[in-house]
Amino acid sequence: MRVTLLGTGDTTGTPTVGCDCDTCSAARERGVERTRFSVHVRNERTDESLLIDLSPDFRHQFLANDVPLPDEALVTHVHFDHLDGLGNAYRVFDDLPVHAADERDPQTGESVADTIRRKYDYLDRVTVHDHAPFDPFETCGLEVTLVPVEHPPLLCYGLAVEDPETGAKLSLTGDTCYAVPEESREALADADLLLAEALVPASMADRHPLGGRHRDDDGVARSFGTKHMTREGALDLADELNAARTRLVHTAHFYPPEEAFADPLAVDGETYTL
């Protein structure tokens, strides 16, 4: 499978609109972007494509990258930076199956799948397909498993995407803090490529009102508050998951400029063949 990182930024992206911080300025000087999160997965055996999360930057991402429009899509959770690009389906697709979890969220009273149905009921060419966590399903010739992660207050899911013929595996942590449940860790383990969210460096964790959490033996914060991993937490998780290769995504413009574009932090447009 061919994996293209269409969007590697957090909810405001980098550069952030109206921001002249050193990191946003450096991004402009380098001509790089981190738009809102989205990943394109092309099954080259079947010539089908799966889009993981629908960024508000959908139009720009597909104009900027040489990838086909998706045959199907998947939504990990209902935050706007992962979902609201679905409105771009209007007059673009004849039919777009969208996959999402069927688990009822106590916070919203509905599942991710139900939220999509309600919010985009005017898109008659979009069909929503419900799936239970940990129950693999087939799409675009690939086997996909939704795995619960910790991104309070909403339910959120990571993904394991495997090619049943070649054994290639892509894992995404989804938006999460370091406290990924053990069963989910097992499902995400041993990936050829892991896309792990890493909002900020651990050095910034104490700036969160709730501070840094899930600290290692040296006191380094692996979580920024309750919702996101730090860079150090994401790398520790990658080691625990035995990922062959890791790219850090969903990063914010709060990284210092000397760290913001250093490996393994990803930028838009990166491609990987698994």
Side-chain angles (χ1 to χ4, degrees):
M1 67 182 97
R2 184 171 179 83
V3 180
T4 302
L5 309 187
L6 298 181
T8 55
D10 70 335
T11 188
T12 65
T14 303
T16 293
V17 173
C19 183
D20 60 357
C21 74
D22 290 344
T23 297
C24 287
S25 297
R28 294 185 184 100
E29 292 169 2
R30 290 168 175 256
V32 298
E33 282 191 284
R34 291 186 174 120
T35 57
R36 274 72 67 89
F37 184 78
S38 188
V39 177
H40 186 277
V41 182
R42 184 177 183 185
N43 184 342
E44 295 182 303
R45 288 188 297 99
T46 64
D47 197 27
E48 296 173 287
S49 297
L50 173 67
L51 183 64
I52 300 169
D53 283 342
L54 292 109
S55 166
D57 299 307
F58 179 103
R59 178 180 180 276
H60 171 69
Q61 290 172 348
F62 277 89
L63 291 174
N65 293 275
D66 184 20
V67 294
L69 286 169
D71 297 284
E72 306 196 26
L74 183 147
V75 176
T76 60
H77 66 296
V78 298
H79 279 153
F80 96 100
D81 52 325
H82 296 258
L83 171 60
D84 281 14
L86 184 56
N88 288 273
Y90 183 65
R91 296 199 308 190
V92 172
F93 297 97
D94 292 328
D95 175 57
L96 182 66
V98 177
H99 303 274
D102 67 355
E103 188 176 15
R104 181 180 177 275
D105 192 327
Q107 185 72 22
T108 65
E110 57 189 10
S111 67
V112 175
D114 286 337
T115 298
I116 298 168
R117 286 192 188 90
R118 173 181 55 78
K119 189 170 183 178
Y120 294 98
D121 60 347
Y122 64 93
L123 293 176
D124 57 1
R125 294 182 180 183
V126 168
T127 55
V128 183
H129 300 264
D130 305 55
H131 301 281
F134 298 118
D135 188 6
F137 61 93
E138 187 276 334
T139 177
C140 299
L142 303 170
E143 183 178 276
V144 178
T145 306
L146 288 158
V147 297
V149 293
E150 290 292 323
H151 189 55
L154 298 180
L155 294 184
C156 184
Y157 304 88
L159 289 177
V161 182
E162 300 183 66
D163 187 323
E165 292 200 13
T166 68
K169 182 175 181 179
L170 166 70
S171 289
L172 295 84
T173 65
D175 282 18
T176 183
C177 69
Y178 178 75
V180 177
E182 185 59 36
E183 187 176 1
S184 296
R185 290 175 183 242
E186 293 173 3
L188 296 170
D190 300 318
D192 297 291
L193 176 64
L194 172 68
L195 303 179
E197 85 112 87
L199 191 73
V200 296
S203 60
M204 294 196 64
D206 290 334
R207 301 188 190 183
H208 194 286
L210 298 176
R213 300 197 173 187
H214 308 120
R215 295 180 183 270
D216 66 14
D217 292 341
D218 296 320
V220 177
R222 290 163 162 162
S223 294
F224 181 68
T226 62
K227 296 173 66 172
H228 296 280
M229 283 192 290
T230 64
R231 171 184 56 198
E232 289 76 3
L235 292 175
D236 283 352
L237 181 64
D239 285 342
E240 294 166 20
L241 296 180
N242 193 36
R245 185 168 193 174
T246 300
R247 300 300 287 166
L248 302 185
V249 296
H250 205 274
T251 54
H253 68 132
F254 302 122
Y255 278 87
E258 64 273 14
E259 301 177 17
F261 307 103
D263 282 342
L265 274 66
V267 296
D268 290 9
E270 294 181 8
T271 61
Y272 299 91
T273 300
L274 308 183

